[in-house]
Amino acid sequence: MPKQVDHQERRETIARALWRVVEQRGATHLTLREVAQEAGISLGQLQHYFGSRAELLAFAMDLAGEQSALRVGRALAGLGERPHPRAVLRAMLVELLPLHADARATSRMRSAAYVLEALHDEGVHARARGSLLQGRAAVEQVVRQAIADGMIAADRDPVVETDLLLALTGFTTLLELNVVEPAAVLAAVDQYLDRLFAAGAGSPR
């Protein structure tokens, strides 16, 4: 009997190959041929699953988002049934920073490849924007609930606080270029969260 090919698994394998190309060689090498070579398959085989670079990028970013969400979920699972919103926000922020291999690959793909592609492709732009809006909404929901629960001061604007929290992901470039150390970035994130929750009902780490 011929071996049955798991098409979803093959698509994920190709997407992970794309991650490695961007992480190791940069966006300038992000061609279907380069990705096929990294995945150990022919260009024709890759095109059987993805008809264009934009289609492959979109799938790879969706997969990266799913994996990021799983990692955040695992981190929060170890904090009990109802983790403190400070811990939830910290887990979300840390996952968006290039502090470990998987997050670094996702971050480099997002900044070096996906966003650049989105500037010139309306379909990719819409998909990228939708994904970012969804992520931002998740952060804002946690902030709003923490304000409602009295853990963040009631006079804080949830929209502004969400924007300020997401601005902390601007450390990405400084981390990638070794301008700051990971420990310093984590200290800055923790200090900001401490200040945000200082007037509320406590902020256990």
Side-chain angles (χ1 to χ4, degrees):
M1 291 289 290
K3 181 180 180 181
Q4 295 297 311
V5 176
D6 185 326
H7 294 289
Q8 179 65 18
E9 182 179 349
R10 179 60 63 86
R11 286 166 66 86
E12 291 184 6
T13 297
I14 294 171
R16 293 176 190 280
L18 180 148
W19 297 355
R20 293 194 298 274
V21 170
V22 173
E23 181 183 11
Q24 297 168 9
R25 286 171 266 174
T28 57
H29 291 279
L30 192 55
T31 65
L32 295 183
R33 188 177 299 280
E34 288 283 345
V35 175
Q37 183 177 348
E38 177 66 29
I41 60 176
S42 70
L43 178 59
Q45 287 176 302
L46 184 149
Q47 290 174 323
H48 175 73
Y49 296 97
F50 301 102
S52 68
R53 167 186 160 117
E55 184 183 343
L56 173 54
L57 268 173
F59 179 85
M61 280 306 300
D62 286 349
L63 179 62
E66 292 170 9
Q67 294 299 308
S68 293
L70 286 173
R71 288 193 294 272
V72 171
R74 285 195 293 267
L76 295 178
L79 299 177
E81 190 173 329
R82 296 187 62 186
H84 193 281
R86 183 195 184 284
V88 175
L89 290 172
R90 188 181 192 277
M92 288 177 164
L93 288 173
V94 169
E95 182 55 38
L96 289 172
L97 293 166
L99 294 171
H100 58 81
D102 288 339
R104 187 162 53 249
T106 302
S107 174
R108 290 180 182 179
M109 183 171 60
R110 183 187 298 116
S111 59
Y114 199 53
V115 172
L116 292 177
E117 194 84 11
L119 294 176
H120 306 287
D121 185 301
E122 290 185 5
V124 176
H125 181 279
R127 194 165 188 144
R129 184 173 184 274
S131 176
L132 290 171
L133 285 172
Q134 184 178 13
R136 188 192 179 286
V139 173
E140 185 174 333
Q141 182 180 13
V142 176
V143 173
R144 286 185 179 277
Q145 190 60 53
I147 292 174
D149 292 341
M151 296 182 180
I152 294 176
D155 62 351
R156 295 295 186 103
D157 184 328
V159 174
V160 173
E161 293 304 333
T162 298
D163 290 339
L164 290 172
L165 284 166
L166 292 176
L168 292 170
T169 64
F171 277 118
T172 293
T173 301
L174 298 178
L175 283 165
E176 290 281 32
L177 297 179
N178 299 316
V179 176
V180 295
E181 294 296 323
V185 171
L186 290 174
V189 169
D190 282 328
Q191 187 171 118
Y192 186 83
L193 289 171
D194 285 344
R195 291 174 180 175
L196 179 61
F197 284 89
S203 56
R205 297 195 178 188

